[in-house]
Amino acid sequence: MSYPYSSKDIQELDNRDLSANILSASMNHPTEIPPPTQLASRRVVNSCFWSTIIFAINFVSSILVINLAKWIYVKHHFPNLTLTTINFFMTYLLLLVCLQLKLFTYIKLPILSMIPVSACFGGFIAFSNLSLQYNTVGTYQLIKLQVTPTVMLISWMFFKAHYPLPIVLSFLPVFIGTLISTYYDLQFNMFGLFCAFTSMMFTAVYQILIEHYQKAYNCDSLQLLFYQAPLSGLLLLMVVPFFEPISALDKFMNFDTISLILCCGVVAFFVNFTIFWVIGNLSAVAYNMIGHSKTLLIIFIGSFIFHEPLNIRQVFGLCFTMIGVFVYSYFKYIRKVTK
């Protein structure tokens, strides 16, 4: 008996029958596919969940790293520049882990061009830590608020930038309030003030360079940090022996001190990593608001932990400063967004 179809044709017919049966079954018992609005809602919920987690990590780690570093300086008397250098290399090692986990992508950047920004990065971290060591937490934190007007002043002087009058005027209470609080600080000293203002200048120049490098090399902050951290560590490593003899480190070779140093390095990494994530994935308003709320909390927690009492004049200066900060935030971000 001969068949009108070849074996190949029969196989195709069988496949068609199978497909028809599957289609019929799916029509009788349709698979539940979430509508697009439901999928979008799930994405929003997941995004909000992770945003909240990163936001919380940034908030807690920023407060923790300042008080942890202050504790290492005050209670264990560990040398400042050495701790800063260790933190840089730990940040680099943890960034290598993040690179393997593909949390950011590697790009090749010219090493020599990275030296100026790495020097500023090392300078602002080192002098910030010196400021933290020799000043109260309140003075340290308030002088950091002068970075933004310093950036604006440098941009106006050298890059012909212009700013609205309300934003410029908002820095008058910030400056006056900081002067009042610093002047009436019970632990005021000139070297600490010098370190604080030097840190402020390094930070301002660093922020300007970061913006320039990101545009020039089309890279993000984490990709720059991958180069900055080890280069800054190497630059500091060449300076440390002249200020902090390595032979004196033997007395710190105990479990408590080493544990605190390693913990400080890990927390410092989380601060840097989450700052870049918050700025990139949330908004300037969110980062600005979290920064101001941290300022108040850091000052009061530091005052409590390290027994740095705030007198009534310091509290007045602090309140006056924060008025200026929130006025700046309003005209810089919130009013701009509402428009």
Side-chain angles (χ1 to χ4, degrees), residues 53-240:
I53 295 295
I54 300 295
F55 201 82
I57 292 173
N58 177 267
F59 191 90
V60 174
S61 59
S62 298
I63 295 172
L64 185 59
V65 73
I66 290 174
N67 290 289
L68 192 57
K70 181 81 172 178
W71 185 272
I72 293 172
Y73 299 143
V74 173
K75 303 298 181 180
H76 292 261
H77 306 288
F78 193 82
N80 185 295
L81 295 178
T82 303
L83 179 64
T84 306
T85 306
I86 292 171
N87 286 347
F88 280 140
F89 287 119
M90 284 194 65
T91 296
Y92 178 65
L93 291 175
L94 291 170
L95 281 172
L96 284 174
V97 175
C98 292
L99 186 62
Q100 293 301 315
L101 296 174
K102 297 182 179 180
L103 296 180
F104 71 97
T105 55
Y106 170 79
I107 62 169
K108 189 173 182 180
L109 298 174
I111 298 292
L112 291 178
S113 299
M114 294 296 108
I115 292 178
V117 70
S118 299
C120 288
F121 184 52
F124 105 72
I125 295 292
F127 278 101
S128 290
N129 288 342
L130 284 169
S131 171
L132 184 61
Q133 182 176 357
Y134 289 99
N135 293 315
T136 62
V137 175
T139 296
Y140 160 82
Q141 197 66 22
L142 284 178
I143 293 179
K144 279 180 65 177
L145 294 176
Q146 309 304 315
V147 170
T148 302
T150 304
V151 169
M152 291 170 61
L153 181 63
I154 293 173
S155 300
W156 175 72
M157 291 176 62
F158 297 99
F159 302 103
K160 308 301 180 185
H162 296 282
Y163 302 95
L165 184 60
I167 289 180
V168 175
L169 293 178
S170 69
F171 285 110
L172 286 177
V174 173
F175 182 70
I176 295 170
T178 301
L179 281 181
I180 293 171
S181 186
T182 303
Y183 181 77
Y184 289 107
D185 189 339
L186 298 178
Q187 298 182 28
F188 173 80
N189 68 87
M190 288 303 298
F191 181 70
L193 192 64
F194 166 77
C195 291
F197 277 101
T198 305
S199 167
M200 182 185 71
M201 293 303 300
F202 268 116
T203 307
V205 174
Y206 170 73
Q207 289 186 4
I208 292 171
L209 285 178
I210 280 291
E211 186 177 355
H212 168 72
Y213 275 61
Q214 286 178 338
K215 291 178 180 177
Y217 297 106
N218 192 26
C219 59
D220 60 36
S221 298
L222 279 177
Q223 291 166 333
L224 273 178
L225 185 62
F226 187 74
Y227 283 87
Q228 290 169 211
L231 281 174
S232 298
L234 288 172
L235 290 172
L236 273 182
L237 200 59
M238 293 186 288
V239 175
V240 166

Side-chain angles (χ1 to χ4, degrees), residues 258-272:
I258 292 174
S259 299
L260 283 172
I261 291 168
L262 293 176
C263 184
C264 186
V266 172
V267 174
F269 164 77
F270 277 112
V271 172
N272 290 325

